[in-house]
Amino acid sequence: MSTPADSIPIPVERLSRELAREKERVRLLEEMVESKTRELYEEKQLLSSTHESLQRVIETLPSAVIVTDGELIITQINSRATQIFGIEPSLFLGKSILGTLKREWFASERYGSDSAIAKEAEAEVQYHHPISGNLMPLALSVRPLFSAQQEFRGMVYMFTDLSARKGLERDLLQAQKLESIGRLAAGIAHELNTPAQYVRDNMLFLGDAFGGFEKIIRALQGLKSAVESNGDLAAAIRHIEEVEKVIDFDYLLEEVPEAICQTIDGAQHVARIVKSMKVFAHPGAPKKSHADLNNLIDSTVTISRNEWKYVAEVETKLEADLPTIMCLAGELSQVFLNLIINAAHSIEDRVKRGEYEKGKITISTHLAGRDIEILVADNGCGVPDNIKHKLFEPFFTTKGVGRGTGQGLSFCYSCVVDKHGGKISFDSQTGVGTTFKVTLPTGH
Amino acid sequence: MKGEVFNLLEQYLVEHAGPELCEQIHAKAAPELEYKGPHIGPGTYEDRDFFTILKETVSALGISADAAALAFGKYCFPKLAARFGDRMRDYHNTREFLLVIQDVIHVEVKKLMSGARPPNFYYVDQTEDSLTMIYDSERNLHCFAEGLFYGCAAYFGETIEVKKELLAYQGRKCCIFTLTFGRP
Ligand code: HEM
Ligand SMILES: Nc1ncnc2c1ncn2[C@@H]1O[C@H](COP(=O)(O)OP(=O)(O)OP(=O)(O)O)[C@@H](O)[C@H]1O
Ligand SMILES: [Mg+2]
């Protein structure tokens, strides 16, 4: 019997060649695995150095940067964030951003945390520094991160400390205020000049009057010594009568008290103007304080007198006993000043066209529920319909060079709406007039 | 071309012509080969070497180059499909599968095998039981593709009718395939 092994010759040579080839394959595969492992290592190295340099770039930023993954878990944070928030990075890393700082800054309702609603956002927020206790204004920029395939990968939150910028804004506001004071200064000088003039005239008159009184007193002294020395009383009395005639004693008796009153009035007028100016010149304390709006309006009307007195009468109807409100008094006076000057300008246009000799500005205040409403109404030229929507835009003006810059109403808007949580609006009809309404919450 | 394809060709020759003839073919091709060692799947080798081995196969078996490529393509399909394992279950017929070779199958190939350069397919037209697609590759292996189509249909237990139209587009050789599917 023959077995298959006997009948089929085993191709030893070929099999050993095959074996050698397979061995070579194994060697090549091992070699390949090694070189792939090395490549992998080098890639990893490159990746971590890229990561490091990215971290260094983030470190150089002047803003606090917090990066999260798609689940809003914090993966990266720079040291500026440690400074701004006064919290160790280790307390942030690996935590959900919703559990750190203030939840409402990040809450998904606000910015969205899944790909469908992850979106950009800008906000201004306030942060109480836990160590210094300072309240810091921060600009928050939120950006979603997407992969090259547009998959949502996380969020980048950037906080910029606005303290310095706020300071600059304050300086700018102060500068603008000084500028408007400059504009008003000429008018105020004039306003001061009038009372100063009649204080001077009255004093000259009182000086003269004193000369007369001196003569009377001397004449009376003559009578006194005539009585004491049993002299010629009749002659002394005649002398007094002569002096009375010469100095027009009755006239003086009537005029002197009048002159004194007028002088006191004049001095008070000067004092009032100076006091009104202080409201403006006072560096706008960044903190709000209690203020009486009626007072504020009175002051503003006083110092702006020269701006309107040639073209308009100003009538104030101020509701007595308004509650005081927490406000930035200096800035609100700026608001009223701008509304008054705008009203005066619009009236001036009609005066120039010869439509009337003088217009009227009516300023009224009253309590409306929890708000105080201030109305500044004029019977000027009115606002044409086609520009109504532009009035509050910065730099929108219809006035010539030197008369307006178009910043008045945009300032009014940001002051009333942004800084006081109030409202400002207007009603206008061309040829009839304009009424601006400012509504400020009393907070009561 | 990936070592995978070289190895499939070697396997095909061993199975259809026997190990001896396969050795002879390799021995004849050897002087012209860029790389003479044994190929490994993850390796990448010159296309020229693949064509040299194919040429020697053709002369050893006494068939045309096109017939060889076609037979080889048919042979390859189930082997390549095996590489995708369970994921092949996502596809239920030839047409469905062919519609994803460009955007899924060959993309996966590029991810798994570094340096792989599978051809491009453009889908031109389709109905319920037909598909018109353009094959575009500098290798111009349209017969290999055709073989793969047959292999694919066999894999899904279907029949397929392949119409080919060769054309040159902007100096490149392309092939428009019009495929009609049938269920026996
Ligand atoms: C019917 C379906 C398929 C067709 C028509 C097809 C077609 C082709 C063709 C014609 C080539 C030759 C290269 C060229 O022409 O430039 C090729 C290469 C290739 N195909 Fe496919 N293929 C199909 C399915 C698959 C499947 C299921 C796999 C699974 C792994 C696969 C993997 C590859 C690989 C690895 C290459 C070599 C690429 C290279 O070496 O750069 N193919 N394919
Ligand atoms: N009471 C008003 N009647 C008619 N038009 C007005 C009135 N108030 C404002 N306007 C119009 O709105 C424009 C913008 O006013 P705004 O106060 O912002 O700037 P301005 O007065 O032109 O310049 P600025 O206030 O900076 O000196 C004015 O140019 C004017 O055309
Ligand atoms: Mg103005």
Side-chain angles (χ1 to χ4, degrees):
Chain A
M1 280 275 276
S2 61
T3 61
D6 294 329
S7 59
I8 304 166
I10 297 171
V12 182
E13 255 180 72
R14 185 172 58 74
L15 284 181
S16 68
R17 276 201 305 277
E18 247 170 47
L19 186 65
R21 266 208 303 278
E22 289 309 317
K23 275 189 179 159
E24 175 66 1
R25 281 200 166 102
V26 171
R27 193 189 64 78
L28 287 170
L29 281 168
E30 281 172 349
E31 216 176 72
M32 181 174 265
V33 169
E34 266 177 23
S35 93
K36 288 277 167 204
T37 311
R38 186 177 304 119
E39 261 172 44
L40 203 65
Y41 173 81
E42 281 162 7
E43 291 290 333
K44 252 192 186 162
Q45 214 65 358
L46 187 69
L47 203 66
S48 78
S49 90
T50 310
H51 182 83
E52 244 173 59
S53 79
L54 196 68
Q55 182 69 37
R56 270 198 300 276
V57 169
I58 292 180
E59 281 299 321
T60 63
L61 294 177
S63 305
V65 177
I66 302 179
V67 184
T68 74
D69 62 14
E71 252 71 68
L72 299 189
I73 303 296
I74 299 174
T75 54
Q76 247 174 312
I77 185 164
N78 68 354
S79 47
R80 187 79 183 99
T82 316
Q83 270 175 31
I84 286 187
F85 297 120
I87 304 177
E88 278 302 304
S90 58
L91 291 172
F92 279 92
L93 290 171
K95 305 261 163 59
S96 164
I97 191 143
L98 297 176
T100 58
L101 302 170
K102 285 188 167 181
R103 192 178 193 285
E104 66 266 26
W105 291 353
F106 314 107
S108 55
E109 309 85 65
R110 186 162 178 183
Y111 306 114
S113 53
D114 66 52
S115 59
I117 38 174
K119 52 175 182 254
E120 295 189 8
E122 309 287 341
E124 263 193 41
V125 297
Q126 303 263 344
Y127 183 70
H128 253 296
H129 195 280
I131 297 165
S132 72
N134 289 341
L135 194 63
M136 265 189 297
L138 299 171
L140 168 57
S141 283
V142 185
R143 294 286 179 278
L145 276 179
F146 293 102
S147 69
Q149 283 76 40
Q150 292 305 307
E151 289 156 33
F152 178 62
R153 282 291 158 78
M155 301 291 272
V156 180
Y157 300 92
M158 200 161 90
F159 297 86
T160 309
D161 186 352
L162 292 182
S163 312
R165 201 202 291 174
K166 287 277 176 211
L168 284 179
E169 276 173 13
R170 217 157 34 231
D171 291 351
L172 184 67
L173 197 66
Q174 182 63 10
Q176 282 172 348
K177 210 179 298 175
L178 287 174
E179 189 194 299
S180 73
I181 286 187
R183 263 206 268 164
L184 287 172
I188 290 169
H190 186 81
E191 288 297 306
L192 287 175
N193 205 33
T194 313
Q197 190 72 41
Y198 62 73
V199 166
R200 202 183 75 108
D201 291 349
N202 281 329
M203 288 315 275
L204 282 176
F205 168 70
L206 288 174
D208 281 350
F210 182 73
F213 287 132
E214 196 184 1
K215 278 186 189 129
I216 289 278
I217 289 167
R218 294 250 181 273
L220 287 172
Q221 278 173 341
L223 178 64
K224 183 179 164 218
S225 41
V227 170
E228 283 169 353
S229 62
N230 277 325
D232 186 348
L233 290 182
I237 287 171
R238 238 182 351 273
H239 179 60
I240 289 172
E241 282 168 353
E242 268 162 35
V243 171
E244 272 181 353
K245 221 173 264 162
V246 168
I247 65 165
D248 200 348
F249 185 63
D250 288 339
Y251 173 75
L252 286 186
L253 223 49
E254 209 173 289
E255 290 298 316
V256 164
E258 178 93 347
I260 289 173
C261 276
Q262 273 188 5
T263 306
I264 292 172
D265 268 0
Q268 272 172 346
H269 193 50
V270 168
R272 198 160 57 241
I273 292 173
V274 168
K275 201 173 123 219
S276 303
M277 282 187 71
K278 276 192 191 151
V279 178
F280 278 84
H282 194 272
K287 282 231 166 76
K288 291 185 180 175
S289 57
H290 278 284
D292 176 353
L293 281 179
N294 288 344
N295 246 339
L296 220 63
I297 289 170
D298 268 336
S299 296
T300 312
V301 170
T302 305
I303 75 158
S304 64
R305 214 177 97 81
N306 203 53
E307 303 282 328
W308 48 261
K309 70 175 180 198
Y310 299 109
V311 294
E313 308 282 351
V314 171
E315 188 186 355
T316 50
K317 295 180 186 164
L318 309 177
E319 184 173 303
D321 302 325
L322 282 183
T324 57
I325 64 165
M326 281 297 278
C327 65
L328 304 165
E331 297 194 12
L332 279 185
S333 349
Q334 289 275 115
V335 169
F336 301 133
L337 178 65
N338 182 54
L339 295 181
I340 293 171
I341 292 178
N342 281 353
H345 282 167
S346 86
I347 287 171
E348 193 183 342
D349 288 351
R350 286 185 79 175
V351 170
K352 277 189 184 153
R353 278 187 247 140
E355 296 183 29
Y356 48 50
E357 245 167 47
K358 263 197 173 178
K360 183 157 192 186
I361 302 172
T362 310
I363 306 172
S364 55
T365 56
H366 61 267
L367 199 60
R370 293 161 169 244
D371 300 328
I372 293 178
E373 269 180 14
I374 303 102
L375 299 175
V376 179
D378 64 65
N379 59 349
C381 57
V383 184
D385 282 343
N386 62 332
I387 60 164
K388 276 187 176 158
H389 63 287
K390 287 193 187 150
L391 248 56
F392 293 103
E393 277 175 20
F395 304 109
F396 174 77
T397 181
T398 56
K399 298 174 188 171
V401 181
R403 202 158 161 244
T405 59
Q407 298 180 76
L409 287 177
S410 92
F411 169 81
C412 291
Y413 186 91
S414 78
C415 177
V416 170
V417 176
D418 300 338
K419 296 192 176 146
H420 292 90
K423 284 181 281 194
I424 179 166
S425 60
F426 67 94
D427 239 333
S428 184
Q429 210 179 327
T430 39
V432 177
T434 307
T435 301
F436 272 86
K437 179 161 95 180
V438 174
T439 311
L440 294 169
T442 58
H444 299 302
Chain B
M1 190 81 94
K2 295 306 295 178
E4 184 104 8
V5 183
F6 282 85
N7 285 345
L8 280 173
L9 183 58
E10 183 178 325
Q11 214 178 316
Y12 172 78
L13 289 176
V14 169
E15 282 177 33
H16 288 82
E20 260 86 32
L21 191 56
C22 176
E23 274 210 344
Q24 281 172 30
I25 291 171
H26 270 104
K28 280 193 84 179
E32 281 184 59
L33 292 179
E34 200 81 12
Y35 172 82
K36 298 185 171 55
H39 298 97
I40 53 172
T44 307
Y45 309 93
E46 292 295 332
D47 285 357
R48 221 175 320 124
D49 285 1
F50 179 76
F51 287 104
T52 304
I53 298 170
L54 205 60
K55 191 184 76 191
E56 293 306 330
T57 305
V58 164
S59 67
L61 299 181
I63 51 170
S64 75
D66 285 355
L70 191 131
F72 177 53
K74 232 187 224 175
Y75 170 82
C76 280
F77 188 87
K79 313 268 182 208
L80 289 174
R83 289 284 308 231
F84 274 104
D86 283 352
R87 272 186 294 167
M88 282 305 286
R89 288 208 209 121
D90 295 343
Y91 311 101
H92 306 95
N93 56 56
T94 318
R95 184 173 166 281
E96 206 178 293
F97 184 77
L98 292 183
L99 279 169
V100 297
I101 39 174
Q102 172 70 10
D103 293 331
V104 179
I105 307 299
H106 278 160
V107 171
E108 285 302 306
V109 166
K110 280 190 264 189
K111 285 189 206 164
L112 292 176
M113 306 180 190
S114 75
R117 285 186 299 116
N120 281 314
F121 286 99
Y122 309 104
Y123 303 92
V124 185
D125 201 12
Q126 49 177 301
T127 67
E128 285 241 319
D129 60 356
S130 79
L131 189 60
T132 305
M133 53 201 270
I134 299 178
Y135 161 81
D136 169 26
S137 163
E138 60 193 18
R139 294 178 181 130
N140 201 21
L141 282 167
H142 53 86
C143 286
F144 176 61
E146 186 181 350
L148 283 165
F149 289 142
Y150 289 121
C152 183
Y155 178 93
F156 286 104
E158 295 177 346
T159 59
I160 188 171
E161 195 191 300
V162 182
K163 265 193 228 138
K164 283 203 297 186
E165 193 186 327
L166 295 173
L167 78 160
Y169 177 69
Q170 293 187 338
R172 291 156 64 101
K173 287 178 182 164
C174 294
C175 180
I176 303 180
F177 283 103
T178 303
L179 311 168
T180 314
F181 311 105
R183 259 148 236 148

